[in-house]
Amino acid sequence: PVLTCTGAPGPIDVTDPAVTRLNINNLSADIGPATGDAVKFLTTGSGSITIDSNTGAFNISSAGARGIFASSNSGAVAVTSAGNVTARTEGIFAFNVSGAPVSVTIASGSVTSQAFSAVMVGSAGNLAVSVGGTATGAGACGQAGVQRRREHPRRAGGRRGQ
C-alpha cells in the first residue's frame, strides 16, 4: 500500500510493514519538528520501501535529528527528494541491513546538514546517489556532501578469513 501525506502533516513516522511507498506532496506548511526525525520510514519486514517527496514551496527540516530517514531490514530502499531538506544531522539517511540496493536522488532543491553529511547511504549491496540539486554538509565526506558507506563483510555478520 501507498501512504500519501499532504497539507500540514507534522512529523511523519511510518513503521507499518504493509506500507511500501510514502508520497509527500501538496504541502501547505513546512514539516519541521524541534526534535527527532522530520520524516521516518522504517520497516523491520522484508519489503522494499520508497519515499517520493516533492515539497513544493515548503521545506522538510529537523532542528534535532535527520530530515529524511529510510531503512529496511531486507528490501531495497529508494528516496527521491524534490525540494529543500535541512537537518541537524544527516539531511537524508538511507540504509539497508541485508545488502539490497539503496538509492537517493536529489531531483531538485537542496539537502543540507548542519553537523554531518547531507546524504548518507549504507548497505552491503549496491549504492547510488544522484544529485540534481545541491548537497551541503558541515562534516561532509566525499563529493558534494555525500557519504557512501558499504558495510564490511566482517562487520555485516561475516567471519574473519572469508
Side-chain angles (χ1 to χ4, degrees), residues 33-130:
T35 61
D37 300 324
V39 175
K40 180 167 49 173
F41 191 174
L42 172 66
T43 180
T44 57
S46 60
S48 298
I49 60 172
T50 299
I51 296 176
D52 285 317
S53 174
N54 186 342
T55 60
F58 298 98
N59 302 302
I60 294 174
S61 64
S62 175
R66 297 168 285 225
I68 297 175
F69 174 51
S71 176
S72 173
N73 274 356
S74 60
V77 175
V79 177
T80 300
S81 175
N84 297 324
V85 179
T86 303
R88 172 77 182 123
T89 61
E90 296 84 13
I92 298 174
F93 187 118
F95 185 75
N96 172 277
V97 176
S98 71
V102 174
S103 68
V104 172
T105 301
I106 303 171
S108 62
S110 67
V111 177
T112 304
S113 167
Q114 298 166 348
F116 297 111
S117 297
V119 176
M120 181 178 283
V121 294
S123 175
N126 292 331
L127 305 172
V129 177
S130 173

